[in-house]
Amino acid sequence: MVFILFYYIWKKYPTIKTTYSEEQLIVLLKERNETGFHHLYDNYSGALYGVILRIVQSKEYTEEVIQDVFVKIWNSIHQYDSSKGRFYTWMINIARNTAIDYLKSKSFQNELKNQPLPDFVYNSKELSITNDSSDYIGFNNVLESLDVDKQELIDLAYYQGYTQNEISDKLKIPLGTVKTKMRNALIKLKDLLKDYQ
């Protein structure tokens, strides 16, 4: 894939490290600048990896998905609109949606059916993202600041891919309540995440 080729070329011929603002990085990516891509990968792959791992629950599958995520970011950078949200949030949404699509894909479902049981029953302790090595931005600590019911909503919607209607059915609470609690949870999260900007 394109980004893998860029990354290996960059590793073979490293350049002086440069720091870019988010705006500068976006300009570089829109200009198809390889240095911008390397900066993107080096500075965001860890956080995106953590998000994907939490959804797919497998290091092997996470490595497949993260490649797709960076290709999508590279190919769709012109669709990013800063007036609709931060660049990081846009990338998190791409990572989340790509991971959920991967889990729902026929090829993934067929692969699970064809594996012997021990190969796809994961060691939850080993793959847990509550440890420091994979919770790259401390997002679990941020989530724990929310009320338990709001944590559950965020988990169901953003990590397990449930729609608001499905959450309403699963938790046996009115759809309006789900929407209100989800909105309040996201407002609270936005406020908490200001410290990470």
Side-chain angles (χ1 to χ4, degrees):
M1 297 198 172
V2 175
F3 95 92
I4 295 173
L5 178 62
F6 289 163
Y7 188 72
Y8 285 120
I9 291 171
W10 177 76
K11 283 296 183 189
K12 189 171 181 180
Y13 305 105
T15 57
I16 297 171
K17 287 249 181 191
T18 307
T19 303
Y20 299 103
S21 69
E22 192 171 276
E23 293 77 17
Q24 290 171 323
L25 177 59
I26 292 164
V27 169
L28 288 173
L29 293 174
K30 287 183 176 181
E31 292 174 349
R32 315 307 277 174
N33 183 294
E34 293 178 22
T35 303
F37 181 83
H38 302 315
H39 183 81
L40 174 78
Y41 188 86
D42 287 344
N43 289 278
Y44 292 96
S45 59
L48 296 179
Y49 185 93
V51 169
I52 297 165
L53 179 61
R54 181 158 184 171
I55 295 170
V56 302
Q57 296 291 300
S58 161
K59 292 178 182 179
E60 177 186 349
Y61 298 141
T62 297
E63 289 166 8
E64 289 180 33
V65 173
I66 200 163
Q67 292 181 23
D68 290 342
V69 167
F70 277 98
V71 169
K72 285 182 180 180
I73 292 168
W74 178 257
N75 289 334
S76 60
I77 188 63
H78 290 283
Q79 295 174 14
Y80 170 68
D81 182 354
S82 60
S83 69
K84 294 182 179 178
R86 292 189 65 234
F87 183 55
Y88 178 72
T89 306
W90 181 74
M91 289 191 296
I92 289 286
N93 283 329
I94 289 176
R96 175 188 167 271
N97 292 338
T98 303
I100 291 170
D101 289 346
Y102 181 81
L103 290 180
K104 292 178 178 178
S105 70
K106 286 183 181 178
S107 60
F108 177 77
Q109 293 299 322
N110 288 337
E111 190 173 331
L112 284 183
K113 289 176 188 174
N114 294 329
Q115 288 181 352
L117 186 63
D119 289 341
F120 68 88
V121 177
Y122 307 117
N123 180 337
S124 59
K125 183 176 180 184
E126 178 188 341
L127 295 175
S128 170
I129 67 163
T130 57
N131 62 53
D132 292 336
S133 64
S134 56
D135 187 19
Y136 292 98
I137 61 169
F139 197 68
N140 284 334
N141 294 335
V142 176
L143 278 180
E144 288 171 5
S145 301
L146 296 176
D147 296 335
V148 174
D149 60 331
K150 291 182 178 69
Q151 289 179 38
E152 183 178 28
L153 289 176
I154 295 294
D155 181 65
L156 289 170
Y158 288 90
Y159 294 113
Q160 297 184 45
Y162 282 76
T163 65
Q164 290 184 342
N165 284 327
E166 290 169 339
I167 292 171
S168 173
D169 292 342
K170 181 176 177 62
L171 301 180
K172 298 183 179 10
I173 57 177
L175 179 59
T177 304
V178 171
K179 289 181 177 184
T180 301
K181 286 186 173 187
M182 183 69 75
R183 181 177 181 276
N184 292 339
L186 292 174
I187 289 170
K188 177 71 173 171
L189 268 180
K190 182 178 180 181
D191 186 52
L192 292 168
L193 287 170
K194 285 179 184 174
D195 296 335
Y196 292 88
Q197 293 182 10

